[in-house]
Amino acid sequence: MAKKDLKYFMRSTEAEVVTAPGPESFKDEDGNVIQFEIKVLSQEEINRINDNYRRHSMATDKKGNPLVNGGEIVWKTERDSAKASRHMIVEALQYPDLKDPELMKYYGCVDVTDMPLKVFPKPDEYQHVSRIVMQTLGLMSKVTDDEEVEAAKNS
């Protein structure tokens, strides 16, 4: 029996960076839409970000007493998925670098998770950036032009 080669599973550990067009409202001097650079985060990085926005605490009744079920304390998990998504956007975007101290100072931000909301304040801009980043990360399927047209017709 031939030994199976594992070299196929020894991939480069360097993160892939892809370019994608930014929102139409961001254009260069020549009127061209600015190209964003997006780092493809690993599943491990995505899990770490999600875990940072998950809180595990004891469930309590209205008086603050712990809830017990079958002799066991009941735990509740709270997630801030919106903040986790914004953190992923910040980590994935290489250009523009939303963690840049000068950019953060310009917008008066101390928390990087506020930056996507400050730099892309219009709903259509934010949705565009969120969509291209999440698609690049493989967390959202790409919508073809035909599907977008049909969705627009039906809305």
Side-chain angles (χ1 to χ4, degrees):
M1 184 164 141
K3 183 178 182 218
K4 294 183 180 180
D5 198 335
L6 295 176
K7 72 180 180 185
Y8 307 112
F9 301 98
M10 297 175 188
R11 298 180 181 164
S12 169
T13 55
E14 193 172 311
E16 179 185 3
V17 176
V18 298
T19 58
E24 285 289 322
S25 49
F26 290 89
K27 296 188 179 186
D28 64 16
E29 312 68 42
D30 302 324
N32 300 314
V33 172
I34 301 290
Q35 292 295 305
F36 284 10
E37 294 173 10
I38 306 165
K39 177 174 95 172
V40 179
L41 303 177
S42 68
Q43 186 62 50
E44 187 176 14
E45 290 171 292
I46 291 168
N47 289 350
R48 182 181 44 76
I49 291 169
N50 278 325
D51 288 346
N52 286 338
Y53 296 97
R54 188 172 295 131
R55 208 175 86 218
H56 202 62
S57 59
M58 206 174 358
T60 57
D61 62 17
K62 290 178 181 172
K63 294 180 183 175
N65 299 316
L67 292 178
V68 178
N69 185 6
E72 301 270 328
I73 292 176
V74 177
W75 295 91
K76 65 179 178 178
T77 302
E78 296 175 62
R79 293 177 179 87
D80 191 341
S81 55
K83 201 165 189 175
S85 294
R86 292 195 309 269
H87 195 140
M88 281 182 226
I89 291 169
V90 170
E91 290 299 320
L93 277 179
Q94 302 299 289
Y95 182 76
D97 179 2
L98 300 184
K99 294 184 284 188
D100 179 80
E102 188 178 342
L103 194 61
M104 289 183 72
K105 183 178 177 186
Y106 176 83
Y107 284 104
C109 274
V110 291
D111 183 347
V112 294
T113 62
D114 291 334
M115 286 298 288
L117 299 172
K118 299 288 188 183
V119 179
F120 312 108
K122 297 178 184 170
D124 61 328
E125 291 175 347
Y126 182 83
Q127 292 303 323
H128 176 89
V129 172
S130 178
R131 186 176 67 247
I132 64 166
V133 169
M134 295 306 160
Q135 286 174 349
T136 301
L137 298 180
L139 299 175
M140 179 182 196
S141 59
K142 288 181 173 52
V143 177
T144 64
D145 291 340
D146 293 342
E147 288 172 326
E148 284 180 355
V149 169
E150 282 303 311
K153 283 183 191 174
N154 297 330
S155 60

